[in-house]
Amino acid sequence: MSNLATVTPIRPTLAVVERQVADLDDGFIMIAMRLYEELIGANLTRNQAKVAHAVCRKTYGFKKKMDRIADSQLAEIARISRSKANIAKNELISMKVLISEAGKIGPNKNIDEWVIPECSQIGNFVSKSGTKNVSKPDTQDVPALGAHKRNTLNIKDNTPLPPQGEEEGQAEQESKKRAPTIPYQAFLDAYNDILGDRLPNARDLTDKRRRAIKQLLPRLKTPNVDGFRAYLSAFSRMARSYYFGDSKSGWRADFDFMLRETTLVGVREGKFAEREVAE
């Protein structure tokens, strides 16, 4: 009799893997071909494109043109952080790819209203095939120093001079391209969301208000829409009832009042909580 024990081979347990298959029975979105094609071809960043499609999902997916969509919902669908979803949403609103009204957002079907910067990457790219036909300078039987001198002279002679003022114009255009886009509409919406039920609603985004937002933005503790919302919330908690119409005159603060630098300084220094002179 053998002293060797019988060894039973151990087989790994095979887990059942469920296949992920998309099916119309699980739901579908009805979206206009023109709108869908424009979203595909639009010069959007990765996060902007994700949020744009997420908004389509949360609106057209429920047969709605607009809806109240939390940033956390957009972040979950787009698989990005909430802060990045908020930034991308506000950028899309400022570019009029999305529209915002009374706290609701949705895709802007009026494609002609979209304001998206042109893509400049293709123009700076030179393909290898495009450089094959570039001939080398004929330097045979010419000393190296002489060839260098000749090529230098040719470059100087053949380089066209830009028209007067063109360099300044190009510099100004480059400066505008580098400047970050300010989501002005998002600032107006933030005011209506936080103070709209106590103060007059802001409706028109005038040039004067755009300038005021641009001047106030760098003075905020956090120079973005979230910093502006924090500032408005602090005013809502701090300010006396006088600023909300509790006076003989019935005067109330408004959106323009909140865009003043003196108002921002007053909130920081706690002046609005103090007793003031005759109302």
Side-chain angles (χ1 to χ4, degrees), residues 161-177:
L161 296 175
Q164 185 176 3
E166 183 175 337
E167 292 183 356
E168 291 81 356
Q170 290 178 350
E172 184 178 355
Q173 291 178 0
E174 291 296 328
S175 176
K176 289 181 179 180
K177 288 181 180 180

Side-chain angles (χ1 to χ4, degrees), residues 43 118-127 130-131 174 177:
N43 181 31
E118 293 294 333
C119 180
S120 59
Q121 295 178 356
I122 298 177
N124 296 331
F125 177 76
V126 180
S127 63
T131 59
E174 291 296 328
K177 288 181 180 180

Side-chain angles (χ1 to χ4, degrees), residues 191 194-195 198-199 230-247 251-254 257-258 262-276 279:
Y191 166 82
I194 296 174
L195 295 173
R198 304 176 69 188
L199 298 179
Y231 155 56
L232 296 177
S233 298
F235 177 85
S236 179
R237 295 191 305 269
M238 175 189 303
R240 297 188 303 108
S241 59
Y242 164 77
Y243 295 96
F244 300 100
D246 186 14
S247 65
W251 175 87
R252 290 190 295 171
D254 56 15
F257 181 80
M258 299 308 303
T262 53
T263 307
L264 175 63
V265 174
V267 170
R268 286 179 176 170
E269 297 179 354
K271 292 182 178 179
F272 292 102
E274 299 174 359
R275 192 69 187 173
E276 299 189 357
E279 303 165 356

Side-chain angles (χ1 to χ4, degrees), residues 58-78:
K58 299 299 289 185
T59 52
Y60 293 149
F62 294 95
K63 298 181 180 180
K64 297 180 180 180
K65 295 180 179 179
M66 301 180 71
D67 201 1
R68 297 181 183 273
I69 309 172
D71 292 340
S72 57
Q73 292 178 301
L74 297 176
E76 181 180 0
I77 298 177

